[in-house]
Amino acid sequence: MVEPLASGYRSLFTNKGIYMSFFNKAKNKAQSAKGHMKETTGRVTDDRSLESEGKADQLKGDLKQAGEKVRDAGEKVRDAFKQ
């Protein structure tokens, strides 16, 4: 449920970061996809610089996704001990 803020406005980002986590996951997945497109374009055009830049973007996105998964697992463990 969305909680009201002190200013009276409602925010999507107040409920335990659920919505923020969703947006972060989507952003990380988009970064990986962008990296894949750059890598493929670099490979097709024989541009090694673009290809390596794409690989780096993919790696960044994948590492961020892994971090989100670890964070989610930690929250599940924390919630299990709360009960």
Side-chain angles (χ1 to χ4, degrees):
M1 179 161 205
V2 178
E3 302 287 329
L5 297 175
S7 62
Y9 293 104
R10 296 170 70 90
S11 172
L12 293 175
F13 306 110
T14 57
N15 189 9
K16 287 190 176 180
I18 291 172
Y19 298 104
M20 185 64 104
S21 178
F22 171 77
F23 288 124
N24 284 340
K25 288 177 184 177
K27 188 171 73 171
N28 298 339
K29 193 70 170 170
Q31 184 174 12
S32 292
K34 181 178 86 169
H36 183 71
M37 290 182 349
K38 277 185 180 180
E39 181 184 0
T40 304
T41 303
R43 194 174 295 146
V44 168
T45 61
D46 200 30
D47 184 352
R48 291 178 188 234
S49 174
L50 186 61
E51 186 177 350
S52 64
E53 190 177 317
K55 285 182 182 180
D57 282 347
Q58 274 185 340
L59 182 61
K60 286 179 190 175
D62 291 343
L63 287 173
K64 288 179 183 179
Q65 285 179 26
E68 287 287 329
K69 288 180 182 179
V70 168
R71 186 177 142 289
D72 290 345
E75 286 180 359
K76 286 182 182 179
V77 168
R78 182 192 67 203
D79 291 343
F81 282 109
K82 265 186 172 178
Q83 296 176 359

